[in-house]
Amino acid sequence: MNKQAIITILFSLVSMTGQAQITLKGSIINERGEKVEYVSIGLEEDSIGTISDANGNFTIEIPANRKNDLVFTHVSFQKAIVPFETYVNWQQLTVTMKDKVVELAEVVVGKKNKPQKIAGKTISGPIAAFRGKGKADGAEWGPVFKSKKDYAVSNILLNIRGTTYQWCVLSFNIYEIQGDKFVNILNKPLYQRIEKSDGKHQIDIQPEETIVLKKKKKYFISVMVVDSDSYGILDMQSQIRTCYYRVITTGKKRKWPIGPAIMVQGYEIEK
């Protein structure tokens, strides 16, 4: 076979590949080169999408008739967009997402100060449960509360009643409610891995970053299952009080009279 024949065959293969489904693999990093976990990835104005894993890796299948830009979203980062003209020529893609910086306040906590309950269960209700496979673009659920004083959050607690997942990963976020807007006050969601073997237990998260709740401001604290081994059910202790069930990608929400009994503790901030 001469070179001209080989070249012709290669061009034919390229042409055929161009008409087929695109399988795009890649990884997502931040500006410091660190992997970004649980990023929602999808075609703009389309239902096709996927989620990066705990190591920032992803695979997405894109039909041949789609030429939409690829959109990457995460609560802690600015939206990243990769045009069709860019990703169509790649089988392996590295996407860098820019930080969505939340300004952290300097706080002074008195030496004799003890943790106080900022929000927690009032009237205990039946079990609150998540059902399905964990996904980062799903729905978050949690109570609404008002901070009576200026506090620095020390602990976030939630009682797990049991699970059918072999393992799952929970994500906690805190938003300040400003009219119709939900403004995330965390630089990064708080993640907690749950194992089926843990059984009935209490999660106790002690945030590394400084989380300030301001006096008389209204907040929404949420939990969602962002990853899991398979379809399953997670049972949590519930509370009867105003809660929101909110789709994280669209912001659409429903007000419910019951939800997971997420408890928040913190130190009063000295002036």
Side-chain angles (χ1 to χ4, degrees):
M1 186 180 292
N2 60 36
K3 290 185 178 180
Q4 182 61 44
I6 294 173
I7 292 171
T8 301
I9 291 172
L10 288 174
F11 270 104
S12 297
L13 289 172
V14 170
S15 177
M16 289 170 62
T17 302
Q19 298 301 315
Q21 175 176 274
I22 298 172
T23 300
L24 183 65
K25 296 183 178 181
S27 60
I28 305 168
I29 60 175
N30 61 22
E31 295 173 289
R32 296 169 296 284
E34 301 163 337
K35 297 296 181 69
V36 180
E37 69 288 310
Y38 309 128
V39 175
S40 296
I41 306 154
L43 295 182
E44 192 168 36
E45 298 180 354
D46 201 302
S47 60
I48 294 171
T50 187
I51 301 164
S52 69
D53 63 19
N55 296 311
N57 300 314
F58 70 91
T59 300
I60 185 170
E61 307 285 349
I62 303 175
N65 62 344
R66 302 293 206 280
K67 294 185 178 181
N68 313 51
D69 293 342
L70 203 56
V71 180
F72 299 76
T73 56
H74 189 285
V75 69
S76 301
F77 297 88
Q78 298 177 35
K79 181 189 294 185
I81 298 176
V82 178
F84 169 78
E85 293 77 11
T86 299
Y87 72 75
V88 71
N89 297 315
W90 293 81
Q91 289 183 326
Q92 188 74 27
L93 190 68
T94 299
V95 177
T96 301
M97 299 191 75
K98 294 183 178 181
D99 294 325
K100 185 190 292 182
V101 180
V102 177
E103 292 186 7
L104 300 179
E106 292 186 7
V107 301
V108 178
V109 177
K111 294 181 179 179
K112 296 181 180 180
N113 207 339
K114 295 181 179 180
Q116 301 178 36
K117 186 177 77 172
I118 303 170
K121 62 181 180 180
T122 49
I123 303 174
S124 180
I127 290 173
F130 274 110
R131 289 178 170 82
K133 191 169 189 317
K135 54 182 183 177
D137 57 352
E140 54 187 351
W141 192 14
V144 175
F145 66 95
K146 185 176 287 187
S147 184
K148 296 180 179 180
K149 300 178 181 178
D150 291 338
Y151 289 107
V153 175
S154 61
N155 302 75
I156 296 172
L157 305 103
L158 176 64
N159 289 319
I160 302 299
R161 302 293 295 274
T163 181
T164 63
Y165 298 113
Q166 291 301 317
W167 62 265
C168 66
V169 177
L170 305 185
S171 169
F172 291 82
N173 276 294
I174 304 177
Y175 302 83
E176 182 182 328
I177 302 176
Q178 300 176 357
D180 292 331
K181 294 182 179 180
F182 283 58
V183 180
N184 198 306
I185 64 171
L186 302 184
N187 270 310
K188 183 180 180 180
L190 303 169
Y191 295 112
Q192 182 74 29
R193 184 181 173 97
I194 304 294
E195 303 279 351
K196 187 176 182 179
S197 59
D198 294 336
K200 185 177 179 180
H201 68 290
Q202 184 182 68
I203 296 171
D204 185 354
I205 299 174
Q206 300 174 25
E208 294 181 2
E209 68 173 280
T210 303
I211 304 171
V212 174
L213 305 178
K214 299 178 182 178
K215 183 179 180 181
K216 296 184 179 180
K217 296 292 185 180
K218 195 174 182 181
Y219 296 94
F220 167 56
I221 181 166
S222 69
V223 62
M224 64 184 294
V225 181
V226 293
D227 198 5
S228 65
D229 64 309
S230 62
Y231 181 97
I233 301 172
L234 176 71
D235 290 334
M236 303 168 287
Q237 179 63 49
S238 71
Q239 60 184 331
I240 299 174
R241 64 176 300 159
T242 300
C243 294
Y244 280 117
Y245 187 82
R246 180 176 180 269
V247 179
I248 199 164
T249 51
T250 64
K252 291 184 178 179
K253 59 186 181 297
R254 285 181 288 170
K255 187 179 289 188
W256 284 10
I258 192 171
I262 306 173
M263 292 166 276
V264 183
Q265 295 178 343
Y267 296 97
E268 185 178 347
I269 297 172
E270 292 186 349
K271 301 297 184 181

